[in-house]
Amino acid sequence: ENGKSKTHTKTNTTAQDIHIARETAELFKSNIFKLQIDELLEQVKLNNKNILKVEKFLHKLYDMIQQVPESEEQSLIEIQSFFKNKIVAVPFVDPKPNVQNTNYKFKYLKPDVSLVGSFALKTGIYQPQGSSIDILLTMPAELFSKKDFLNFRCLHKRSVYLGWLTHHLSILFQKEKIDSFLKLEYEYFNNDTLLPILKIYCENPNNINTTNDNDYNFYKTKFSINLIVGFPEKVFEHKKLLPNKNCIRVAQDDPKADPSTLPATPLYNFSVLSSSTYESYLKYLYKTKKSTESFKEASILGRLWLQQRGFSSNLSQSGSLGGFGTFEFTTLMAALLNGGGVNGNKILLHGYSSYQLFRGVIKFLATMDLCDSGHLQFHSDINYTDAVSKYVQDGFQTPTLFDKTTKVNILTKMTVTSYKALKEYAKMTLKMLNNVVQDQFANIFLINISKYDNIKYDLCYKLDLPLGEDINKVLISKFTPNEKIKFITIENFLVNKITSILNYALGDRINALEVELVGHKSHFPIKKRKVYSSVGGHSLNFDYAKVKILVNPAESEKLVTRGPQHSEDITPEAATFKSFWGPKASLRRFKDGSIVHSCVWSTSASEPIIASIVDFVLKRHITENVQIDNSVTKQFQELVPLPNLPASKSTSILNLTSYYNLKKSFDELYKLVFKMSLPLSVKSILPIGSAFRYTSLCQPVPFAYSNPDFLQDVIIEFETSQRWPDEITSLEKAKTAFLLKIQEQLEAEHGTKYKSYFTRDESIPFNLDVTTLNILTPEGYGFKFRVLTERDEVLYLRAISNARNDMKPLLEDTFLKFTAKYLASVKHTRTIENISHSYQLFSPVVRLFKKWLDSHLLLGHLTDELVELVAMKPFVDAGPYHIPGSVENGFLKILRFISQWNWKDEPVILDLIKPEDELENGFETSIGGSDVDADTMKKLSEKLTLAQYKGIQTNFGHLRKTDSNGLHLQYFVASKNDPSGILYSSNIPLAIATRLTALSKIAVNLIQSHGLNKQTIDLLFTPGLNDYDFVVKLKTPVALKHSSGIIDDSEFRNISNDSAPTSFPDDMAQLSEKMDPTYQLVKYLNMKYKNSLIFSSHRYIGVNGGEKGDRNVITGLIKPHFKKQQKFKVNIDGNVKPVDKEIVELNKQALFHEIAAFSSELVVDFQSK
Amino acid sequence: MVHVDSMKNGFLVIPFKLPEHPVLSKHENGKSVPCHYMFMKKHQSKQEEESNCIFLVNIPLLTNVESMKTVIKEICDKYDEVSYVEDLLYNDEFGLNDVNLSSLTSDLMSVPNDSSETRFTPRNTALLKFVDQSSVNNCWNALVKYSNIKDSSKFVNWNYSAPSFSTFINFYKPIDLEYLKDDVHSHLAIFEQREQEAQ
């Protein structure tokens, strides 16, 4: 009984402890967050001087608007004749009014002028590109009749009103002599072609020939002014403009038909209705701001968050992420301060801090559905005190934030697609906000993720529409009157069409999709009626379209697109499926017996299936002649080495079969070794080779023994014994004795199938007695066995304590190498193997990254593990981006990360876990795992705790205390597997580390300034040999490409196979004939000239050694202290020549002769500076 | 280049003419004759095995006792001196033996009184041991004269013992199984014997 209660209390305490710990962490975090927010807000504050400056002009402008003369009532004919030969044109919206049908009159009366928007609310921030001030000019109510909301009437009246105003303002500017620097331009407000406004800005004084610095010139403030012409409140009956009403009557086949059968015109209705609500929202938000202390700060946070993700108040119907800008954010926040729960309960409280308000809005966006299954209602009426916002569990299949007062759906400008994207970002951000361990502030607010499409999205396709007539035929013919009133512009129609075709066709293969009209213009000169586009070669308002996709790698490469079930009578779904896919659709019987309408696709090594689908459906549904450029993806995928395996060209980049085959072969061998009777029984056989974790640069290919990774490392442990020698050489000899026993038994019992031999191993410096047993399997793979005993660690540690002080660093390094190779490697392999099933793109991405490093001659200086951890960063620590879903995306994100990694001050701390949503799922036990059981695996997969995280940070702090500039150790990369952070990155020469940083910076700049194309991608993978002090070109007598298991995309397998081995030689000594001599050459050069030179070369000459794999290059860098003359010392350790009796300098000539002599029969050229 | 025959700290500067190398000669037109410079000094030591030695600094690639014998003989011949080289000590070009893990983990396997285990010679240096005192003196006399030669055409040639393609390939070759068995067996036998003696 007692025992029971004890346990009970214990559990309680633990739970409580965790709770307290978590709360402390959160409190700590929100405090830090608060400081970061304060600092950020200080940085983005608007400059008061600038505000005063622009306000001076605003007063002047107000006076001038008052001077604009009022007009008589005029007919359209009179208006047309008035504006004839004037500089200013009336910005009539399409379709422009014609004289026959226009019997209403136009008139200009003085407007009511007021400030609206963020400038009025004082929630604006400094923007490097400048910001705008919105001024509302409300047309007097008497200018309208009740029915003017119909058929563009009020819009045309507004256009004339705006034209009149513009005309007279430009005359007044001239009169006041301020026209030399003030510029006027029409603009579609928020990209809404129904809402032209007048924009006033100042031209750069350097561009104009005026010397007098006018008081009203506000150029330096970077402000611009929007004159928005609004309708008076309640001039039209709001109910008639509800989103589901039709307000553009088009001719119907039956003239007597009921207008209610006409399609709804939500965009039009919104445009009209919202033009009369600017002031009510200003009041609504102002009132909320007054009652909520942190409202202003929170709205600034919202603005930044949205901007960094590419969201704005622009119409998303014309492409890009829009419909949700600061106005929508603050309105939602205001609504949630007045309720927002299902029962009207308050989601946000007025006393919340800016952090809490921001977090609350993000949480609401992330967790509540405002489209399919629900919507939010609120009241913007500030006098209606009982107004409560309410979440209603009923969706309109369109994003809805409905204002009961004005009948406006605030989210009208959002498409379903852009809403989905918003929700996705909100979810990611909520996760970041919930992360109490890592600091996510920069990820949430500071990183502009929409700066570069190829980093934000996985795949980007350029769509060129054909020129001229064809466009009319294919597109304009489909743009029927009903479509016109629904979509307003043909561009909106096209975006919608592409989006819906691709969404239907791609389904769950993608996570998100965005269509952008590149070159879409929203402003035009005041002498023009509207935007006339001359780009793109067609009459449409854009140059070309860009389709941007976030891939769902778990589904993207599935071969079959499954449609509806087959049935006797064809269902509407089946009919849609068949007509959509046309000849691609067929009936297929599945294993469960069901017969389903399907499309079957084929995989390819160079392109994702998505590319074939996009190509097929756009050609089928847009036009046969549409040109889809996806060469970037193709080029990147073709850079990943292609294995010389059957059907490798038609094998998906995500396919890991070649690795599974190697593992299967290992499994067989594992069973044999486990069964052997040895003096000590086998405790575990642990694979540690990179192929076991799918990261080897070349995929495993049977008999491809020239591949440097051909022999895959394996660690074997025996049951515990006291008898292992207590001295290192003898210990290694004893281990060899065990391996000899294994070899003997294998030879005796399985000698016909397995081959084996011993080699020396140099992975641990100064331990010259390590031998490994290399076993070649009948399936054509090779495994390298090394023995680990419980004595090893003790002996290495003993060596450190026995060593002279000046030798200690060398021995510590030896110990690190041992730990990395024999101990940490097991955990590393298990972890990467386990989590990479959830990060499908990791394997091809890390392989491409390794290839990039090797093409720049850096890979030889870095350990596989370090490279893999760095490459893992964009996967496990993806924020604020998505987890990479394409080879190019993952690769570019790695480069971007390295280019920005300030390793001197920043540790990399990785949480090597699966994506959080998947963590609950089971853990597969991997092969050979006898002691790493599911429980351990689970522990490995648990998130880092705050304490662990802080511990690692402390380790970094200690490291930098003694090496503050990172001269000795640059890359601190830690995880739960290696809290020390230095296991894989010790001993990288400083020059190599800085070169990697420099190269990645160059690469990122290159891509950002020149984009991705054939030339830039080629350039990315071309080594800059001119940067080195000397270059030695080598040629090996035997070409190694095919025997490394590599084949070119253009090669035929049957031809190249003549030079690819299909079996192992009988004499194991012959294996070496197809090994890379240059690797040994460079290794020994680096050993000899350790103190004065750094040599680099391609590690994988099968991949980077030219067409045949028989070329290599050695580059040499002279270390800085040997670049200058120095005093002669006995321990100078460099090949020097005397300058005078005291001073010597590096004897380059002699060095080059030595190197050339050492390179012996391999050297073909030697270049030096 | 100014001729320097010796360094301030007493090292003689001993130049060697380097052989032509086809890939270098095309870039070397007009440049000075390529030479390697070794720095040599008589070695003073109380230790028996280090007597009769000349201390060498900056040893050319893959130097062994034979290559040293050849050039020393050539230099001595120039001045009619007779000198016999016995050995080249502590030459560890690739730093393989910078650390002796075995002696750091146990003293069981160390050779009694083997001073090399504790001896510290900087990298890129070695001791050239002569058979007797007169050999050292004769050689030194010749070296002093040789270091005064200014005309590079009169320098002694140095011939690198360059590795061949198969040297590098051989690193991949299997260890001979019988050799490995014997090695392991005999080593462990000695180890056990020493262990027993120690108890």
Side-chain angles (χ1 to χ4, degrees), chain A residues 444-462:
Chain A
I444 296 171
F445 296 113
L446 304 184
I447 297 175
N448 182 350
I449 70 168
S450 37
K451 214 169 165 184
Y452 192 58
D453 278 341
N454 288 86
I455 297 241
K456 188 177 180 186
Y457 293 95
D458 296 319
L459 301 171
C460 295
Y461 296 136
K462 189 183 160 191

Side-chain angles (χ1 to χ4, degrees), chain A residues 705-709 711 757-760 762 772 774 784 1036 1040 1067-1084 1098-1099 1101 1112, chain B residues 165-176:
Chain A
Y705 54 83
S706 301
N707 173 5
D709 298 323
L711 288 172
Y757 62 100
F758 284 86
T759 46
R760 297 223 177 279
E762 293 174 340
T772 57
N774 309 321
K784 187 188 248 191
T1036 60
L1040 298 179
D1067 178 7
M1068 290 292 99
Q1070 282 175 11
L1071 286 172
S1072 60
E1073 284 164 20
K1074 287 194 171 179
M1075 300 289 190
D1076 177 12
T1078 65
Y1079 167 70
Q1080 301 291 348
L1081 167 62
V1082 176
K1083 189 172 84 186
Y1084 280 91
H1098 297 304
R1099 177 72 186 88
I1101 72 170
N1112 205 342
Chain B
F165 167 69
S166 49
T167 316
F168 296 114
I169 287 300
N170 283 344
F171 287 107
Y172 297 103
K173 281 217 167 120
I175 309 172
D176 182 79

Side-chain angles (χ1 to χ4, degrees), chain A residues 1047-1165:
Chain A
I1047 188 172
D1048 272 345
D1049 196 42
S1050 55
E1051 277 177 286
F1052 290 103
R1053 202 172 165 261
N1054 49 359
I1055 295 171
S1056 59
N1057 272 358
D1058 292 346
S1059 52
T1062 50
S1063 64
F1064 295 118
D1066 289 331
D1067 178 7
M1068 290 292 99
Q1070 282 175 11
L1071 286 172
S1072 60
E1073 284 164 20
K1074 287 194 171 179
M1075 300 289 190
D1076 177 12
T1078 65
Y1079 167 70
Q1080 301 291 348
L1081 167 62
V1082 176
K1083 189 172 84 186
Y1084 280 91
L1085 282 175
N1086 268 321
M1087 282 159 81
K1088 175 159 172 72
Y1089 302 104
K1090 193 171 152 186
N1091 191 35
S1092 50
L1093 303 171
I1094 300 166
F1095 294 90
S1096 309
S1097 69
H1098 297 304
R1099 177 72 186 88
Y1100 291 80
I1101 72 170
V1103 177
N1104 284 314
E1107 257 176 60
K1108 297 179 188 148
D1110 59 350
R1111 301 282 168 164
N1112 205 342
V1113 55
I1114 304 177
T1115 58
L1117 282 175
I1118 299 170
K1119 290 196 177 176
H1121 58 287
F1122 274 98
K1123 290 233 164 178
K1124 35 186 199 260
Q1125 298 183 338
Q1126 52 184 315
K1127 255 192 164 166
F1128 175 73
K1129 287 176 298 190
V1130 171
N1131 58 356
I1132 191 157
D1133 190 15
N1135 192 344
V1136 291
K1137 62 182 180 188
V1139 176
D1140 60 31
K1141 278 187 163 311
E1142 274 182 88
I1143 305 297
V1144 290
E1145 65 183 10
L1146 196 70
N1147 187 356
K1148 283 201 215 167
Q1149 242 184 335
L1151 258 179
F1152 295 166
H1153 274 265
E1154 267 186 349
I1155 294 163
F1158 197 58
S1159 310
S1160 69
E1161 298 150 13
L1162 300 165
V1163 55
V1164 287
D1165 196 12

